[in-house]
Amino acid sequence: MTETLKAPLLPASAAQAPTRRGWTVALAGLGALLCSLDVVVVATALPALQADFGASLSELEWTINAYNLVFACLTLTGAALGDRFGRRRMYVVGLAVFTLASAAAALASGPGQLIGARLLQGAGAAVLLPLTLTLISEAFPAEKRGVAIGMWGGVTGLGVAAGPVLGGAVTEGLSWQWIFWLNVPIGLAMIPLAARKLRESHGTRPQLDLVGLVLAAVGLTGLAWAPVRAPEAGWGSAEVLAALAAGVVFVAAFLGWEKNGARHPMLPLSHFRRRGFSTANACAFLLFASLLGALFMITQLFQLGLGYSPLEAGVRILVWNATPLLIAPIAGALADRFGTRPFMLGGLVLQATGLALLAWLVEPGVGYGSLVVPLIVAGVGISMVFPSVANAVTSSVPLGDAGVAAGVNNALRELGGVFGIAIAAAVFTTYGGYGSPESFIDGAGAALWVTAAAAAVGAGVAAFAPSRARAGVRAVPRAGLADPRSGLAALTPPSL
C-alpha cells in the first residue's frame, strides 16, 4: 500500500521540476536584466538631466558612479545575506529595494535626491545580481546548467547592450524620468512571482561573518572609490592614493580574518587554490574592464566623433553589444559539452581582435560600414565569455558555496568595469579631448587599444584554466553529505 501511495508522487514531482526551472531562469534573467541595464542606461540621459537640474559635471558623473560604486562594494555582502537568510527571501527583498529606489529616482527633484536614490538602487542590485546566478546554479543539475547560465549571460549582456538604446529612446520620446519608472511595474510584478515560484535554499554557514562583511565592504569601497574619483582628482592626488591604500589594507585585513579569525568565513580562501575558480574570476575582471571601458568610449565616439544622435548611436552599436542575446545561450550549451576553457579563451581572443581592429580603423571621416565587422567580432567574443566564466566559477566550488562564488565573481566584474572606465578615460585625456571631433577620435582610438589589451591579457589567463576533464563540474555527489536546508546532496568537485 505504501508503494501504491508513493507511485503517483514521482510523476508529479518530475513534472513540476521543469516548470520551476523555467520560472527560475525567467525571474533570475529579469533580475539580471534590471541590474545590468541600470549600470549604463543613465548615460544617454545626462544632457537632459543637466538641462532639468542645472547639475554640475561632478553631479552628473555621480548619477552613474553612485550606483556602480555601491553595486561593486556590496555584492559580496548581498551573496552572504542570501546564504544566511535564504536566497529566495533576500531576492524578494532586493527586488523591493530596487523597485522602491527606482520610484524615488523618478520622483527626484534635484541632483542630490537622484544620487541618493541611485545609491539605494545600487544596494538593491548588489543583493539581486549575485543571487540570480546562485538561484540558477541551485535549480539545475550540473549537466544542464550551462544552457541556463548561457541564457542568463545573454540577458545580462543584453542589459548592458540595451542601455544606450533604451536610454536614448526613452529620453527623446518621453522624459528621463521614464528610465526609472519602467523598472517599477516590472519589479512589482516580479516580487509576488519570485516569492511563489522560486525555491528557497541556503548556504552552509549558520552565522553571518559580520567582521568579514565590514572589512570587505570598506576595502572594496576604497578600491572602487579611487578609479571613480581619479578622472577629476588625478591618479596622483592624495585622495586617490589614500583610497587605494585604504582599500588594499582593508582587503588584506579581510583576507587575514577569513584565513585565521573567522569562525564561519564568508569567503573560504581555499577556493582560490582551485584553478577553475581563480582563472575564471581573473577573466571576469579583465572582461568587464575591457567591455565597459570600450562601451564608455564607443557610445561617445558615435555621437561626438561621428555625429550621430543618442538613439542613432545606440541602434548602430547593437551589432556589437546585442550579440549575447543570440550567442551566449549557444555558447553555454556547447560549454556543457566541450568545457568552459575553449570559450573563455576563444571569446577573449575575439574580443581583443575586434577592439584592436576598431582602434586601428577609427579616424576622422570613417564610415559606419567600416566598423561593423570589428564590432561583430568583439560582440561574438563577449557573448562566448559571459556564460563560460559564470559556469566555470559556480562549477568549481561545492554547491553550498555557489552563492559565495557568484558574489566574488560579481564583485570582481563590477570592480573591473570601474577600473576599465577610469583607465580608458585617463588614456583618452592623454591623447585627445573634447575640443573637436578629430581630437576626440585621437583619444578614443588610443583608449580602445588599451581595452583591446585588457581582453588580450584575459585570454592569456584563460589559457591556464583547467581543461574540461579537470573543470570541477559537480557530477557525482559525495556519499553521506547533504545540505539540510536545501534538501539537495552537497556535490563536491573533483580535486584540482
Side-chain angles (χ1 to χ4, degrees):
M1 181 175 179
T2 303
E3 296 298 325
T4 304
L5 291 174
K6 285 185 177 179
L9 296 178
L10 295 176
S13 175
Q16 290 173 1
T19 301
R20 186 174 295 276
R21 289 171 185 165
W23 277 109
T24 300
V25 171
L27 291 168
L30 278 173
L33 177 64
L34 290 176
C35 295
S36 56
L37 187 66
D38 275 63
V39 171
V40 294
V41 71
V42 179
T44 48
L46 292 180
L49 288 170
Q50 200 281 330
D52 273 10
F53 293 154
S56 67
L57 177 61
S58 176
E59 288 171 331
L60 291 176
E61 290 176 349
W62 274 104
T63 61
I64 299 175
N65 290 338
Y67 179 88
N68 293 344
L69 185 65
V70 175
F71 195 176
C73 297
L74 294 185
T75 186
L76 192 57
T77 300
L81 292 173
D83 282 354
R84 175 64 182 90
F85 297 111
R87 292 153 180 168
R88 179 182 65 187
R89 181 180 293 115
M90 292 309 301
Y91 190 73
V92 171
V93 170
L95 275 172
V97 171
F98 188 89
T99 304
L100 176 65
S102 297
L107 293 170
S109 58
Q113 293 179 13
L114 179 59
I115 291 168
R118 290 284 282 170
L119 287 169
L120 185 61
Q121 198 179 33
V127 176
L128 275 181
L129 190 59
L131 293 182
T132 61
L133 188 55
T134 309
L135 288 166
I136 289 175
S137 297
E138 192 273 337
F140 285 82
E143 67 273 10
K144 296 182 179 180
R145 195 171 298 136
V147 177
I149 290 179
M151 297 175 67
W152 171 90
V155 171
T156 302
L158 179 64
V160 177
V165 181
L166 182 62
V170 170
T171 301
E172 291 184 18
L174 296 170
S175 67
W176 67 262
Q177 286 88 346
W178 279 96
I179 290 174
F180 302 108
W181 279 127
L182 289 175
N183 294 333
V184 176
I186 298 174
L188 291 176
M190 287 177 64
I191 288 171
L193 286 172
R196 181 180 177 86
K197 300 295 185 181
L198 296 176
R199 183 167 66 179
E200 186 61 283
S201 64
H202 296 75
T204 57
R205 293 160 188 79
Q207 296 178 1
L208 271 180
D209 176 14
L210 294 178
V211 174
L213 287 177
V214 172
L215 291 174
V218 175
L220 291 174
T221 299
L223 293 179
W225 183 273
V228 164
R229 289 287 297 139
E232 183 174 347
W235 281 98
S237 67
E239 176 186 356
V240 170
L241 293 177
L244 281 174
V248 170
V249 168
F250 275 90
V251 167
F254 167 72
L255 296 176
W257 170 258
E258 295 299 289
K259 182 179 180 180
N260 300 314
R263 185 177 179 183
H264 302 287
M266 63 184 290
L267 175 59
L269 299 185
S270 59
H271 291 340
F272 286 99
R273 291 198 294 268
R274 301 175 182 271
R275 214 154 31 98
F277 185 78
S278 56
T279 54
N281 277 304
C283 287
F285 180 91
L286 292 163
L287 166 71
F288 269 73
S290 173
L291 171 59
L292 291 188
L295 182 66
F296 177 74
M297 295 311 309
I298 291 172
T299 52
Q300 297 183 81
L301 171 67
F302 274 63
Q303 295 177 64
L304 302 178
L306 304 182
Y308 296 112
S309 72
L311 180 57
E312 290 171 339
V315 170
R316 283 165 173 79
I317 294 170
L318 279 178
V319 297
W320 170 45
N321 53 15
T323 50
L325 187 63
L326 301 174
I327 304 299
I330 300 172
L334 292 175
D336 276 341
R337 182 175 180 183
F338 300 106
T340 55
R341 181 172 65 181
F343 296 92
M344 286 194 295
L345 175 57
L348 284 162
V349 168
L350 288 177
Q351 182 180 353
T353 301
L355 292 177
L357 284 172
L358 195 68
W360 182 50
L361 291 170
V362 165
E363 60 182 9
V366 65
Y368 173 69
S370 301
L371 307 180
V372 170
V373 172
L375 288 171
I376 293 175
V377 170
V380 171
I382 292 165
S383 305
M384 293 167 63
V385 185
F386 268 138
S388 53
V389 161
N391 198 352
V393 167
T394 55
S395 65
S396 63
V397 300
L399 187 59
D401 283 343
V404 171
V408 172
N409 184 246
N410 281 285
L412 289 173
R413 282 173 39 171
E414 298 307 317
L415 283 173
V418 170
F419 273 91
I421 291 173
I423 293 170
V427 172
F428 168 78
T429 55
T430 301
Y431 291 94
Y434 290 96
S436 67
E438 292 77 15
S439 177
F440 185 92
I441 288 174
D442 289 341
L448 287 172
W449 279 115
V450 174
T451 64
V457 173
V461 173
F464 292 94
S467 65
R468 183 177 184 273
R470 293 165 57 94
V473 176
R474 298 179 299 270
V476 181
R478 179 178 291 179
L481 294 181
D483 183 345
R485 289 175 176 152
S486 69
L488 295 175
L491 305 179
T492 306
S495 174
L496 299 183

